[in-house]
């Protein structure tokens, strides 16, 4: 994906890569929501611009499981 397709919230390929990595390593949908909020990105925009990442997020639990 071209960095220009990602909007003003990502200024460089490095930032885009870091954003994608944070989403891919998120443990819950709550964590993803926090990441999107930090980048001023709505859920609808995220789904539209990052459909593969959005599919990954769908498989995440709603909240992080407490560690025992």
């Amino acid at each position: 994906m071209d960095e220009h397709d990602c909007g003003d919230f990502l200024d460089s390929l490095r930032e885009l890569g870091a954003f994608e990595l944070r989403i891919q390593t998120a443990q819950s949908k709550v964590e993803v929501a926090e990441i999107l909020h930090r980048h001023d990105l709505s859920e609808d925009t995220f789904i539209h611009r990052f459909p593969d990442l959005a599919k990954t997020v769908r498989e995440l639990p709603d909240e992080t499981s407490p560690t025992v």
Side-chain angles (χ1 to χ4, degrees):
M1 176 175 284
D2 183 5
E3 69 179 285
H4 299 291
D5 293 339
C6 299
D8 295 334
F9 75 100
L10 296 172
D11 296 328
S12 69
L13 287 176
R14 180 179 295 167
E15 189 173 342
L16 175 60
F19 170 78
E20 289 178 344
L21 182 61
R22 284 191 295 271
I23 296 293
Q24 291 170 348
T25 59
Q27 298 295 310
S28 69
K29 292 177 184 173
V30 171
E31 189 175 341
V32 171
E34 291 170 358
I35 294 166
L36 296 179
H37 179 74
R38 273 184 257 145
H39 286 281
D40 243 356
L41 188 64
S42 72
E43 189 174 328
D44 289 338
T45 301
F46 171 70
I47 291 168
H48 174 73
R49 293 189 176 156
F50 301 95
D52 292 336
L53 283 176
K55 288 176 189 174
T56 302
V57 170
R58 273 191 246 141
E59 298 172 6
L60 292 174
D62 290 336
E63 296 183 22
T64 305
S65 301
T67 55
V68 178

